[in-house]
């Protein structure tokens, strides 16, 4: 449908057509990044799930390969669901995934490459005695899914975790194994949080507390914190917490119980779900993949013949400066798509004003922006007890002393369509500044059948820091990273006027009391090559 074809992205991973959801089994092997994903080969809606497969040299340009696994056994005939890869010390790969059986029971299955000498890992073999795990006593037959990458215990065994729930408490079950065939269920869960419901796609990994280098999944010790992430089926967001892992007792506890898994921090305050990290041994980093669904109507997805993207893979590391959160940042390879750039230095944006940025086009961009508020204003402004939240405020149209200010992305000339990505600063009674980072979709499209929420959350801004943001724009996706990736917001938007050459970028400042000075560097982004691998099957 040519009406909707502009929504197709130019440098985000998508299959050629139909439905995609979770990232599965990402890994680097013999020179190639492998990406598998939940895929419906028959339609642009969820169903008939199999594993799609693609390879890349740089996580940006992709070659589609034949389906890696299809639903052809009693133990996965209702779906080859989400799973993870483990690379063994001898270099061999094992894949664990959830199968939905002929009776829709969730079981765990083992698969491995038919030929470890094939760098493309085209053929996959399912273990002859699958399933290797069935729901244990007390666990619902539909509450047992998405095994993680295995890590090594001090006892010399492999350990995995699998998401589940008991009543309304989301939990991560723990299994130990030596051969990936026989498993021992541990009495204690890795972790559980009351009220959070089913935990899908649990992830568990170490981060260095000293630097931004990635750590192999089995790394442990005093220089390490561990992240637990769960995708909450009930509210469709990915929550993480930092904490301490106790190898001996196979359990984990959060640094700050008030911001435990599912009740505290999110990877992303927009649309971002069922994510999964892997350790990239090629570049020594941990890379995060996240599924970005559509936020238009299902009817529109069927019409255009496809649904969902994957976000630009992000490196993820502990924020050694704030000490309270992770940092996420688009993998540096995306910068190879940068074409011409344009700089805007110290642009004065007066209270209540909108400033157009003169660009040749504004649909494929990498934007880096820094904002400063007048220091005297900051010092002299009255303190308030304002309880701000992005989603309950009046969005970017709000007028307050110190904000909002930021960008109007994918806007048309008349501003009938615009997606503001912005900061909002408050000064509390104790004199401390608090900053929020938001994306307002209320005017993102004149169409009615699309999500128009206002996304966002608090972002730590440390002493001496400017307000900084990076935003990637790719036709129908806007991914924004504030303060180096402390708070991230991904948004799918469906403008009807702000498309192709009619899409523009503006600065805006709705603060009443302060000028804002903005400096930007903006790159036009090339399209990535994402196409079938030539001459395969
Ligand atoms: C998450 C999820 C997983 C499941 C898969 C099925 O989006 O529901 O829990 O394995 O998708 O496609």
């Amino acid at each position: 449908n040519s009406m909707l074809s502009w929504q197709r992205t130019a440098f985000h991973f998508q299959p050629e057509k139909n439905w995609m959801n979770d990232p599965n089994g990402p890994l680097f092997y013999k020179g190639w990044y492998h990406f598998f994903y939940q895929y419906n080969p028959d339609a642009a809606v969820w169903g008939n799930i199999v594993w799609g497969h693609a390879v890349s040299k740089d996580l940006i340009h992709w070659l589609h390969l034949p389906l890696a696994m299809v639903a052809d056994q009693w133990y996965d005939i209702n779906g080859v669901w989400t799973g993870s890869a483990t690379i063994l010390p001898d270099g061999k790969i094992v894949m664990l995934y959830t199968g939905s059986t002929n009776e829709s029971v969730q079981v765990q299955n083992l698969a491995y490459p038919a030929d470890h000498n094939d760098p493309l890992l085209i053929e996959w073999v399912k273990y002859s005695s699958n399933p290797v795990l069935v729901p244990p006593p007390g666990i619902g037959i539909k509450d047992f899914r998405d095994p993680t990458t295995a890590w090594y215990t001090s006892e010399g065994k492999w350990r995995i975790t699998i998401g589940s729930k008991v009543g309304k408490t989301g939990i991560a079950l723990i299994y130990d194994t030596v051969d990936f065939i026989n498993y021992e269920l541990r009495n204690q869960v890795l972790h559980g949080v009351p009220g959070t419901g089913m935990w899908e796609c649990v992830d568990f990994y170490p981060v260095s507390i000293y630097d931004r280098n990635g750590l192999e999944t089995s790394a442990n010790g005093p220089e390490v914190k561990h992240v637990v992430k769960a995708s909450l089926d009930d509210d469709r967001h990915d929550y993480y917490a930092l904490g301490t892992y106790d190898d001996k007792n196979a359990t984990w506890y959060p640094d700050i119980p008030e911001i435990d898994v599912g009740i505290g921090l999110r990877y992303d305050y927009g649309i971002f779900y069922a994510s999964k990290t892997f350790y990239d041994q090629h570049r020594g980093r941990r890379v995060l993949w996240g599924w970005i669904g559509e936020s238009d109507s299902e009817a529109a997805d069927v019409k255009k013949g496809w649904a969902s993207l994957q976000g630009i893979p992000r490196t993820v590391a502990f924020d050694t400066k704030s000490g309270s959160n992770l940092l996420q940042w688009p993998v540096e390879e995306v910068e190879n798509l940068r074409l011409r750039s344009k700089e805007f230095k110290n642009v004065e944006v007066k209270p209540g004003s909108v400033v157009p940025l003169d660009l040749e086009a504004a649909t494929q961009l990498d934007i880096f922006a820094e904002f400063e508020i007048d220091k005297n204003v900051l010092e002299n402004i009255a303190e308030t007890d304002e309880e701000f939240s992005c989603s309950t405020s009046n969005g970017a149209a709000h007028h307050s002393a110190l904000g909002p200010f930021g960008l109007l992305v994918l806007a048309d000339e008349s501003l009938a369509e615009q997606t503001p990505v912005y900061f909002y600063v408050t000064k509390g009674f104790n004199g401390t500044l608090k900053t929020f980072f938001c994306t307002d979709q209320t005017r993102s499209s004149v169409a009615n059948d699309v999500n128009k929420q206002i996304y966002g959350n608090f972002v730590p801004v440390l002493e001496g820091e400017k307000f900084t943001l990076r935003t990637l724009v790719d036709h129908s996706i806007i991914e924004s990273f504030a303060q180096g990736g402390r708070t991230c917001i991904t948004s799918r938007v469906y403008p009807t006027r702000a498309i192709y050459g009619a899409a523009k970028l503006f600065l805006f400042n709705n603060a009443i009391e302060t000028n804002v000075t903005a400096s930007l560097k903006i790159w036009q982004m090339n399209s990535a090559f994402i196409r079938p691998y030539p001459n395969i099957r």
Side-chain angles (χ1 to χ4, degrees):
N1 185 309
S2 60
M3 277 282 290
L4 300 172
S5 61
W6 66 269
Q7 294 178 8
R8 197 98 189 145
T9 60
F11 58 91
H12 282 74
F13 181 82
Q14 313 188 235
E16 294 199 287
K17 58 178 187 207
N18 292 327
W19 168 272
M20 168 173 68
N21 54 294
D22 314 0
N24 291 159
L27 60 98
F28 180 83
Y29 188 70
K30 291 193 191 292
W32 290 98
Y33 289 101
H34 287 259
F35 184 69
F36 306 87
Y37 54 94
Q38 296 281 282
Y39 183 56
N40 181 351
D42 305 322
V45 298
W46 187 86
N48 320 307
I49 295 292
V50 301
W51 274 36
H53 184 194
V55 288
S56 171
K57 289 280 177 186
D58 63 1
L59 293 167
I60 300 296
H61 304 290
W62 292 93
L63 295 168
H64 294 298
L65 289 173
L67 298 177
M69 293 193 278
V70 298
D72 57 3
Q73 304 292 326
W74 71 267
Y75 53 76
D76 63 12
I77 199 76
N78 275 308
V80 187
W81 288 1
T82 283
S84 306
T86 302
I87 302 181
L88 304 180
D90 65 0
K92 296 235 163 79
I93 298 163
V94 294
M95 201 64 92
L96 284 172
Y97 72 94
T98 300
S100 179
T101 72
N102 51 357
E103 291 177 342
S104 293
V105 177
Q106 293 169 9
V107 300
Q108 315 313 323
N109 302 312
L110 173 62
Y112 44 87
D115 177 8
H116 269 98
N117 292 318
D118 172 17
L120 298 180
L121 300 172
I122 290 177
E123 296 282 349
W124 288 79
V125 179
K126 295 175 186 173
Y127 172 58
S128 56
S129 297
N130 276 338
V132 292
L133 280 172
V134 300
I139 293 297
I141 58 169
K142 294 186 176 176
D143 304 325
F144 184 57
R145 56 184 182 273
D146 313 331
T148 57
T149 295
W151 66 96
Y152 218 51
T153 70
S154 58
E155 256 184 357
K157 293 178 179 172
W158 291 103
R159 181 168 285 168
I160 58 167
T161 175
I162 299 176
S164 186
K165 67 171 179 188
V166 170
K168 288 196 161 49
T169 300
I171 59 171
L173 298 165
I174 286 279
Y175 288 91
D176 289 350
T177 182
V178 290
D179 53 11
F180 290 89
I181 292 170
N182 303 293
Y183 295 80
E184 174 198 341
L185 174 64
R186 304 281 307 215
N187 296 330
Q188 209 174 343
V189 294
L190 178 70
H191 194 56
V193 179
T196 55
M198 176 66 195
W199 283 12
E200 298 189 312
C201 303
V202 173
D203 199 6
F204 177 74
Y205 56 91
V207 287
S208 164
I209 59 171
Y210 296 124
D211 58 42
R212 301 186 62 168
N213 294 329
L215 295 176
E216 206 279 316
T217 308
S218 298
N220 198 4
E223 70 288 0
V224 159
K225 273 188 192 298
H226 275 84
V227 177
V228 172
K229 185 279 299 191
S231 303
L232 299 203
D233 199 10
D234 290 354
D235 86 346
R236 313 302 292 170
H237 295 300
D238 278 15
Y239 288 86
Y240 75 88
L242 292 156
T244 302
Y245 167 57
D246 174 351
D247 163 89
K248 196 159 170 287
N249 294 307
T251 192
W252 172 96
Y253 43 94
D255 284 352
I256 306 171
E258 291 74 28
I259 53 167
D260 204 341
V261 183
I263 58 172
L265 299 169
R266 280 165 50 180
Y267 275 154
D268 194 293
Y269 289 85
I271 182 168
F272 185 96
Y273 194 66
S275 65
K276 184 182 296 303
T277 63
F278 74 105
Y279 175 64
D280 170 9
Q281 73 275 23
H282 180 52
R283 306 283 295 261
R285 61 188 168 181
R286 185 160 287 273
V287 175
L288 171 67
W289 279 102
W291 163 39
I292 318 297
E294 301 294 322
S295 63
D296 60 352
S297 67
E298 196 168 277
D301 297 345
V302 170
K303 208 185 231 172
K304 68 191 180 200
W306 59 270
S308 302
L309 317 170
Q310 299 293 330
I312 294 296
R314 304 172 179 180
T315 55
V316 52
F318 178 62
D319 183 356
T320 54
K321 287 197 187 124
S322 78
S324 61
N325 51 271
L326 294 172
L327 290 175
Q328 301 164 66
W329 200 244
V331 293
E332 61 190 14
E333 289 93 328
V334 77
E335 294 165 25
N336 295 333
L337 295 176
R338 288 173 173 176
L339 300 167
R340 301 160 300 280
S341 69
K342 207 155 176 182
E343 279 189 75
F344 301 86
K345 286 232 165 93
N346 299 319
V347 183
E348 190 93 7
V349 195
K350 297 226 157 61
S353 72
V354 170
V355 177
L357 293 169
D358 182 26
L359 298 171
E360 55 193 292
T363 46
Q364 291 179 215
L365 298 177
D366 186 350
I367 305 166
F368 189 83
E370 278 182 357
F371 300 89
E372 277 178 284
I373 303 183
D374 195 316
K375 287 220 169 53
N376 290 326
V377 175
L378 275 185
E379 261 164 44
N380 298 321
I381 202 89
E383 302 179 348
T384 75
D385 59 355
E386 180 182 359
E387 283 288 341
F388 182 80
S389 121
C390 295
S391 59
T392 58
S393 72
N394 202 6
H398 198 82
H399 290 258
S400 190
L402 301 176
F405 57 87
L407 305 172
L408 304 179
V409 182
L410 290 172
D412 71 320
E413 187 72 59
S414 75
L415 300 181
E417 291 184 330
Q418 47 164 295
T419 304
V421 175
Y422 58 95
F423 291 100
Y424 184 94
V425 185
T426 63
K427 188 177 185 182
F429 277 135
N430 49 10
T432 54
L433 298 174
K434 193 164 182 190
T435 304
F436 296 82
F437 184 57
C438 319
T439 295
D440 178 353
Q441 302 182 126
T442 50
R443 279 168 295 276
S444 60
S445 175
V446 296
N448 287 320
D449 60 341
V450 304
N451 183 306
K452 296 197 172 173
Q453 258 174 284
I454 304 166
Y455 295 142
N457 198 49
F458 166 73
V459 60
V461 179
L462 307 183
E463 188 73 40
E465 288 181 350
K466 296 177 184 171
F467 303 97
T468 62
L469 71 79
R470 167 119 181 251
T471 293
L472 296 171
V473 182
D474 189 6
H475 297 268
S476 63
I477 181 170
I478 301 170
E479 286 158 293
S480 301
F481 306 81
Q483 305 306 124
R486 290 191 186 122
T487 298
C488 310
I489 305 173
T490 299
S491 171
R492 296 297 310 282
V493 293
Y494 305 90
T496 62
R497 300 178 188 175
I499 62 174
Y500 298 122
K504 310 225 175 297
L505 181 69
F506 298 84
L507 289 165
F508 81 101
N509 177 15
N510 273 342
I512 302 164
E513 305 279 353
T514 183
N515 279 352
V516 166
T517 310
S519 293
L520 303 95
K521 187 160 186 185
I522 303 171
W523 289 264
Q524 296 293 332
M525 293 293 271
N526 207 345
S527 301
F529 289 94
I530 302 175
R531 54 182 65 168
Y533 196 102
N535 306 319
I536 274 202
R537 256 202 227 144

